[in-house]
Amino acid sequence: MEYISTRSDRRVSAAQAIAEGLSPDGGLYFPETLPVFDGEALSALEGMDYAGRAVEVLSRFLDGFSREELSDYVGRAYAVPKFPKETAPVVSLAGGPHILELFRGPTCAFKDFALQLLPFLLTASLRKTGAQETAVILVATSGDTGKAALDGFANVDGTKICVFYPDGGTSDIQRLQMVTQTGENVMVFAAAGNFDDAQNGVKAIFTDRAFGAAMKEKGFLLSSANSINWGRLAPQIAYYVSAYCDLRARGALAEGQKMNVAVPTGNFGNILAAYLAKLCGLPVGKLICASNRNNVLTDFLTTGVYDRNRPFYQTASPSMDILISSNLERLLYLLTGRNHARVKGYMDALARDGVYTVEEDVRGKLRAEFACGCADDSQTAEEIKSVYKRTGYLCDPHTAVAYRVYEQYIAATGDMAPTVIAATASPFKFADSVLAALGKTPEGDHFQRLKQLSAAAGQPVPEALASLANRPIRFSRVLVPGDMKNAVAAWLTE
Ligand SMILES: *Cc1c(COP(=O)(O)O)cnc(C)c1O
């Protein structure tokens, strides 16, 4: 299976797609054909543990990677104690949805699933494509990607990693996780502006050919760990397959019965993975796309007009504070029947005018597959409190947005199909918001607040967050976006 760019007929191997991250034409790589998981294949997966399921899924997507190789990578990426023995547990709430807990990894957010594995996939891809250079991973983060990428790549031979996070745009814990990162090969900058500014700054570095060539001369190959990289998306498909298998195994789904999936969405990577699982044959019904007050996707899915010309809000769910949802490009590619010219037209219009409109054929397909909704911060806080009161389950603000929108969807449609809600972060990562939602006044410093939440919720503080208290701050520089390129060059050649 080859990979093809969403903006031209450029074809590459899986290894090349992962090594390059973004296609030189600005497009994103997408599998030329999708594998099929029929009922029998899914039944076989039911008897496997998470690693076994992930290897099965990945091996169907990554031609040129042997099963042994993938088993080795998956085994190491998801090993205890980085992840618990139950890697992606599904918690079934009484009379309600099934919560797919994706935050049990080393940085307490779902991005660990992709970013613990990506260093293995990327370094292998570079070997397979014959690259001799040191891979330089540039990451723009709205909070969780940065830390997950730093943790995955720290001290990985043959790589260096530089993360840009929006100054003041993350939670305190998220920022501390990043600026205390250890490792010889890591760099972290705050960037003035919001996430989109940081992401555009990184994209500008990638598409600056002269800069890329100059770095290559010095022995560096620029690469991306953002969810534009196929190596980020493929591992995410596995946990939807795994959740289905768990629900089948415990009798929560009849044979062939579909499950709906609700996902708190920002860059559209996680929900796209669920849609891809569906296209591969996983019995999935509606995909419920949940946004916070930055509801550009709610408007798009409702009207067919994608318009980023709107105020940007900082919310209690900062990892979804995004106005340019990069992975939507892959969905548009599919829904236009893999029409490069149309996708390029939309993306050019977005870059030029900040807005594009899809035609009725695409709009019809969007409506058929996706439901959507949004929740602002006060609704999110209400939801955290009410879910906790009703079920004893404590959601982080991102997960609470999805829970709220799931309930809106049921109220609007009466669709009572079993539903999996993707729980994307630990509530402890957003302790202040969660405490406030529960009606408690946050007290003392960050670490006292973690303890306060622990006492209020009767759950231990995740060790990865508790241990931050003892770590020195290593990075404190703030850049304006125009300086990002020079800062990268200076760091690489210092
Ligand atoms: C990144 C992130 C999201 C958004 O996921 P996308 O794949 O960008 O849509 C939601 N919740 C949390 C906690 C995240 O870290």
Side-chain angles (χ1 to χ4, degrees):
M1 177 212 296
E2 292 210 289
Y3 283 75
I4 188 157
S5 166
T6 50
R7 296 197 200 175
S8 76
D9 53 13
R10 182 183 166 80
R11 272 183 180 67
V12 299
S13 66
Q16 219 174 329
I18 293 171
E20 284 182 16
L22 189 70
S23 171
D25 56 32
L28 310 186
Y29 287 117
F30 198 82
E32 208 169 17
T33 54
L34 290 172
V36 177
F37 287 88
D38 55 17
E40 209 170 300
L42 290 172
S43 302
L45 293 177
E46 259 176 60
M48 298 181 188
D49 63 5
Y50 188 83
R53 292 168 182 173
V55 169
E56 281 305 310
V57 172
L58 287 166
S59 65
R60 307 276 198 106
F61 278 99
L62 301 178
D63 274 7
F65 289 76
S66 71
R67 199 168 287 253
E68 293 67 44
E69 201 178 356
L70 290 171
S71 291
D72 174 40
Y73 303 158
V74 164
R76 286 196 274 163
Y78 301 149
V80 176
K82 279 204 164 197
F83 280 82
K85 201 161 161 295
E86 268 204 90
T87 316
V90 180
V91 178
S92 296
L93 299 184
H98 307 280
I99 310 288
L100 171 56
E101 292 192 337
L102 300 173
F103 55 79
R104 300 283 177 193
T107 77
C108 304
F110 83 92
K111 294 182 172 80
D112 286 329
F113 278 87
L115 284 163
Q116 287 298 318
L117 195 57
L118 187 65
F120 295 106
L121 295 179
L122 184 71
T123 49
S125 296
L126 292 170
R127 278 196 308 273
K128 287 173 198 291
T129 55
Q132 306 288 325
E133 295 87 355
T134 298
V136 177
I137 318 299
L138 301 180
V139 180
T141 183
S142 56
D144 290 330
T145 303
K147 176 58 186 181
L150 288 164
D151 193 277
F153 278 97
N155 294 327
V156 171
D157 284 345
T159 73
K160 287 168 91 70
I161 175 163
C162 178
V163 168
F164 300 92
Y165 70 89
D167 192 24
T170 67
S171 83
D172 285 336
I173 293 288
Q174 286 178 312
R175 181 179 54 77
L176 279 172
Q177 282 185 300
M178 290 187 277
V179 298
T180 59
Q181 176 66 47
T182 55
E184 292 301 310
N185 61 338
V186 307
M187 176 52 81
V188 178
F189 292 114
N194 61 36
F195 169 69
D196 289 317
D197 299 321
Q199 179 161 260
N200 284 336
V202 168
K203 277 189 186 164
I205 296 177
F206 279 124
T207 45
D208 183 334
R209 288 184 187 206
F211 184 71
M215 288 300 114
K216 195 157 181 182
E217 204 136 279
K218 297 197 155 65
F220 298 114
L221 190 69
L222 302 182
S223 191
S224 162
N226 277 107
S227 57
I228 52 178
N229 191 315
W230 181 257
R232 278 280 304 275
L233 266 174
Q236 299 186 305
I237 300 168
Y239 51 67
Y240 291 106
V241 174
S242 177
Y244 175 83
C245 292
D246 284 351
L247 291 180
R248 280 286 296 144
R250 73 176 68 154
L253 285 171
E255 194 172 348
Q257 186 184 8
K258 291 180 178 171
M259 60 182 198
N260 290 343
V261 176
V263 184
T265 298
N267 230 349
F268 212 79
N270 201 3
I271 195 167
L272 183 72
Y275 182 51
L276 291 174
K278 177 176 183 174
L279 293 178
C280 295
L282 195 73
V284 172
K286 277 280 181 204
L287 296 142
I288 303 167
C289 175
S291 301
N292 64 24
R293 194 178 174 200
N294 294 297
N295 57 359
V296 63
L297 284 169
T298 315
D299 288 349
F300 172 65
L301 293 170
T302 312
T303 65
V305 180
Y306 193 100
D307 188 356
R308 64 151 305 196
N309 302 309
R310 60 176 70 212
F312 176 94
Y313 300 108
Q314 280 192 0
T315 74
S317 43
S319 299
M320 298 152 69
D321 290 347
I322 291 174
L323 294 181
I324 301 178
S325 254
S326 301
N327 265 298
L328 201 56
E329 178 166 349
R330 287 190 165 107
L331 180 68
L332 294 171
Y333 178 65
L334 277 172
L335 299 188
T336 55
R338 297 178 176 258
N339 186 322
H340 305 121
R342 280 176 76 184
V343 172
K344 187 168 183 330
Y346 301 143
M347 293 304 130
D348 287 347
L350 183 65
R352 192 181 55 235
D353 310 322
V355 56
Y356 62 86
T357 304
V358 295
E359 297 74 12
E360 187 47 42
D361 61 331
V362 173
R363 223 162 0 189
K365 291 182 203 163
L366 287 172
R367 265 197 304 272
E369 301 283 5
F370 292 89
C372 62
C374 54
D376 65 18
D377 279 357
S378 74
Q379 292 170 320
T380 304
E382 253 174 54
E383 192 69 17
I384 291 172
K385 185 172 185 186
S386 114
V387 169
Y388 186 62
K389 263 184 141 167
R390 283 179 288 148
T391 70
Y393 193 83
L394 190 63
C395 294
D396 97 287
H398 303 76
T399 308
V401 167
Y403 209 122
R404 180 79 171 201
V405 172
Y406 150 77
E407 288 176 339
Q408 290 169 1
Y409 170 76
I410 293 182
T413 62
D415 178 0
M416 294 302 292
T419 300
V420 168
I421 296 179
T424 50
S426 161
F428 287 94
K429 238 178 153 168
F430 304 94
D432 287 3
S433 304
V434 175
L435 279 168
L438 296 177
K440 315 260 179 216
T441 310
E443 284 162 10
D445 67 12
H446 317 304
F447 302 103
Q448 283 163 301
R449 292 168 188 191
L450 290 175
K451 288 192 191 131
Q452 198 188 351
L453 183 59
S454 169
Q459 294 177 24
V461 179
E463 178 52 31
L465 302 183
S467 66
L468 285 175
N470 312 319
R471 292 209 186 172
I473 290 179
R474 293 184 65 202
F475 305 102
S476 53
R477 229 179 113 191
V478 184
L479 300 175
V480 293
D483 282 347
M484 285 168 59
K485 192 167 71 183
N486 289 338
V488 170
W491 164 61
L492 287 178
T493 53
E494 73 192 1

